PDB file of all heavy atoms in Angstrom:
ATOM      1  N   PHE I  98     -22.225  15.877   1.550  1.00 98.00           N
ATOM      2  CA  PHE I  98     -21.587  14.620   1.934  1.00 98.00           C
ATOM      3  C   PHE I  98     -21.497  14.561   3.463  1.00 98.00           C
ATOM      4  O   PHE I  98     -20.427  14.819   4.063  1.00 98.00           O
ATOM      5  CB  PHE I  98     -20.165  14.555   1.293  1.00 98.00           C
ATOM      6  CG  PHE I  98     -19.501  13.234   1.430  1.00 98.00           C
ATOM      7  CD1 PHE I  98     -20.186  12.064   1.135  1.00 98.00           C
ATOM      8  CD2 PHE I  98     -18.155  13.111   1.770  1.00 98.00           C
ATOM      9  CE1 PHE I  98     -19.531  10.799   1.195  1.00 98.00           C
ATOM     10  CE2 PHE I  98     -17.511  11.914   1.856  1.00 98.00           C
ATOM     11  CZ  PHE I  98     -18.201  10.742   1.559  1.00 98.00           C
ATOM     12  N   PRO I  99     -22.581  14.247   4.121  1.00 98.00           N
ATOM     13  CA  PRO I  99     -22.589  14.231   5.598  1.00 98.00           C
ATOM     14  C   PRO I  99     -21.848  13.043   6.184  1.00 98.00           C
ATOM     15  O   PRO I  99     -21.823  11.966   5.621  1.00 98.00           O
ATOM     16  CB  PRO I  99     -24.098  14.154   5.936  1.00 98.00           C
ATOM     17  CG  PRO I  99     -24.714  13.481   4.739  1.00 98.00           C
ATOM     18  CD  PRO I  99     -23.911  13.939   3.556  1.00 98.00           C
ATOM     19  N   LEU I 100     -21.253  13.300   7.334  1.00 98.00           N
ATOM     20  CA  LEU I 100     -20.550  12.269   8.088  1.00 98.00           C
ATOM     21  C   LEU I 100     -21.392  11.968   9.344  1.00 98.00           C
ATOM     22  O   LEU I 100     -21.767  12.845  10.075  1.00 98.00           O
ATOM     23  CB  LEU I 100     -19.193  12.744   8.532  1.00 98.00           C
ATOM     24  CG  LEU I 100     -18.313  11.808   9.367  1.00 98.00           C
ATOM     25  CD1 LEU I 100     -17.867  10.617   8.514  1.00 98.00           C
ATOM     26  CD2 LEU I 100     -17.127  12.529   9.961  1.00 98.00           C
ATOM     27  N   ILE I 101     -21.694  10.648   9.516  1.00 98.00           N
ATOM     28  CA  ILE I 101     -22.571  10.219  10.587  1.00 98.00           C
ATOM     29  C   ILE I 101     -21.801   9.374  11.589  1.00 98.00           C
ATOM     30  O   ILE I 101     -21.123   8.402  11.145  1.00 98.00           O
ATOM     31  CB  ILE I 101     -23.756   9.427  10.037  1.00 98.00           C
ATOM     32  CG1 ILE I 101     -24.517  10.273   8.984  1.00 98.00           C
ATOM     33  CG2 ILE I 101     -24.716   8.980  11.107  1.00 98.00           C
ATOM     34  CD1 ILE I 101     -25.338   9.491   7.997  1.00 98.00           C
ATOM     35  N   LEU I 102     -21.903   9.729  12.865  1.00 97.00           N
ATOM     36  CA  LEU I 102     -21.386   8.856  13.911  1.00 97.00           C
ATOM     37  C   LEU I 102     -22.601   8.334  14.681  1.00 97.00           C
ATOM     38  O   LEU I 102     -23.226   9.087  15.412  1.00 97.00           O
ATOM     39  CB  LEU I 102     -20.460   9.649  14.839  1.00 97.00           C
ATOM     40  CG  LEU I 102     -19.065   9.988  14.301  1.00 97.00           C
ATOM     41  CD1 LEU I 102     -19.121  11.033  13.207  1.00 97.00           C
ATOM     42  CD2 LEU I 102     -18.140  10.422  15.446  1.00 97.00           C
ATOM     43  N   GLU I 103     -22.914   7.089  14.515  1.00 96.00           N
ATOM     44  CA  GLU I 103     -24.163   6.552  15.078  1.00 96.00           C
ATOM     45  C   GLU I 103     -24.019   6.292  16.595  1.00 96.00           C
ATOM     46  O   GLU I 103     -24.979   6.469  17.320  1.00 96.00           O
ATOM     47  CB  GLU I 103     -24.543   5.288  14.371  1.00 96.00           C
ATOM     48  CG  GLU I 103     -24.882   5.435  12.900  1.00 96.00           C
ATOM     49  CD  GLU I 103     -26.050   4.583  12.430  1.00 96.00           C
ATOM     50  OE1 GLU I 103     -26.158   3.463  12.931  1.00 96.00           O
ATOM     51  OE2 GLU I 103     -26.781   5.035  11.552  1.00 96.00           O
ATOM     52  N   SER I 104     -22.854   5.941  17.035  1.00 97.00           N
ATOM     53  CA  SER I 104     -22.636   5.727  18.448  1.00 97.00           C
ATOM     54  C   SER I 104     -21.209   6.216  18.786  1.00 97.00           C
ATOM     55  O   SER I 104     -20.289   5.413  18.943  1.00 97.00           O
ATOM     56  CB  SER I 104     -22.805   4.265  18.811  1.00 97.00           C
ATOM     57  OG  SER I 104     -22.680   4.082  20.198  1.00 97.00           O
ATOM     58  N   PRO I 105     -21.051   7.526  18.907  1.00 97.00           N
ATOM     59  CA  PRO I 105     -19.682   8.069  19.131  1.00 97.00           C
ATOM     60  C   PRO I 105     -19.007   7.526  20.370  1.00 97.00           C
ATOM     61  O   PRO I 105     -19.686   7.263  21.415  1.00 97.00           O
ATOM     62  CB  PRO I 105     -19.914   9.561  19.230  1.00 97.00           C
ATOM     63  CG  PRO I 105     -21.255   9.812  18.626  1.00 97.00           C
ATOM     64  CD  PRO I 105     -22.052   8.570  18.913  1.00 97.00           C
ATOM     65  N   SER I 106     -17.733   7.395  20.298  1.00 97.00           N
ATOM     66  CA  SER I 106     -16.933   6.972  21.467  1.00 97.00           C
ATOM     67  C   SER I 106     -15.769   7.961  21.651  1.00 97.00           C
ATOM     68  O   SER I 106     -15.453   8.714  20.736  1.00 97.00           O
ATOM     69  CB  SER I 106     -16.350   5.585  21.252  1.00 97.00           C
ATOM     70  OG  SER I 106     -15.506   5.557  20.118  1.00 97.00           O
ATOM     71  N   PRO I 107     -15.197   8.006  22.831  1.00 97.00           N
ATOM     72  CA  PRO I 107     -14.122   8.991  23.092  1.00 97.00           C
ATOM     73  C   PRO I 107     -12.950   8.937  22.123  1.00 97.00           C
ATOM     74  O   PRO I 107     -12.306   9.957  21.841  1.00 97.00           O
ATOM     75  CB  PRO I 107     -13.685   8.626  24.506  1.00 97.00           C
ATOM     76  CG  PRO I 107     -14.911   8.072  25.154  1.00 97.00           C
ATOM     77  CD  PRO I 107     -15.616   7.273  24.051  1.00 97.00           C
ATOM     78  N   ASN I 108     -12.688   7.768  21.542  1.00 97.00           N
ATOM     79  CA  ASN I 108     -11.556   7.705  20.589  1.00 97.00           C
ATOM     80  C   ASN I 108     -11.885   8.353  19.246  1.00 97.00           C
ATOM     81  O   ASN I 108     -11.027   8.385  18.338  1.00 97.00           O
ATOM     82  CB  ASN I 108     -11.084   6.272  20.402  1.00 97.00           C
ATOM     83  CG  ASN I 108     -12.088   5.346  19.775  1.00 97.00           C
ATOM     84  OD1 ASN I 108     -13.126   5.791  19.264  1.00 97.00           O
ATOM     85  ND2 ASN I 108     -11.840   4.064  19.805  1.00 97.00           N
ATOM     86  N   GLN I 109     -13.114   8.822  19.098  1.00 98.00           N
ATOM     87  CA  GLN I 109     -13.456   9.593  17.885  1.00 98.00           C
ATOM     88  C   GLN I 109     -13.335  11.112  18.135  1.00 98.00           C
ATOM     89  O   GLN I 109     -13.639  11.917  17.231  1.00 98.00           O
ATOM     90  CB  GLN I 109     -14.846   9.235  17.435  1.00 98.00           C
ATOM     91  CG  GLN I 109     -14.948   7.807  16.904  1.00 98.00           C
ATOM     92  CD  GLN I 109     -16.313   7.409  16.467  1.00 98.00           C
ATOM     93  OE1 GLN I 109     -17.257   7.372  17.271  1.00 98.00           O
ATOM     94  NE2 GLN I 109     -16.450   7.089  15.209  1.00 98.00           N
ATOM     95  N   THR I 110     -12.852  11.476  19.302  1.00 98.00           N
ATOM     96  CA  THR I 110     -12.532  12.890  19.552  1.00 98.00           C
ATOM     97  C   THR I 110     -11.395  13.266  18.637  1.00 98.00           C
ATOM     98  O   THR I 110     -10.328  12.627  18.655  1.00 98.00           O
ATOM     99  CB  THR I 110     -12.075  13.072  21.025  1.00 98.00           C
ATOM    100  OG1 THR I 110     -13.206  12.859  21.874  1.00 98.00           O
ATOM    101  CG2 THR I 110     -11.518  14.464  21.261  1.00 98.00           C
TER     102      THR I 110
END
Side-chain angles (χ1 to χ4, degrees):
Chain I
F98 191 46
L100 179 69
I101 304 157
L102 285 71
E103 297 217 326
S104 184
S106 62
N108 65 12
Q109 293 178 297
T110 292

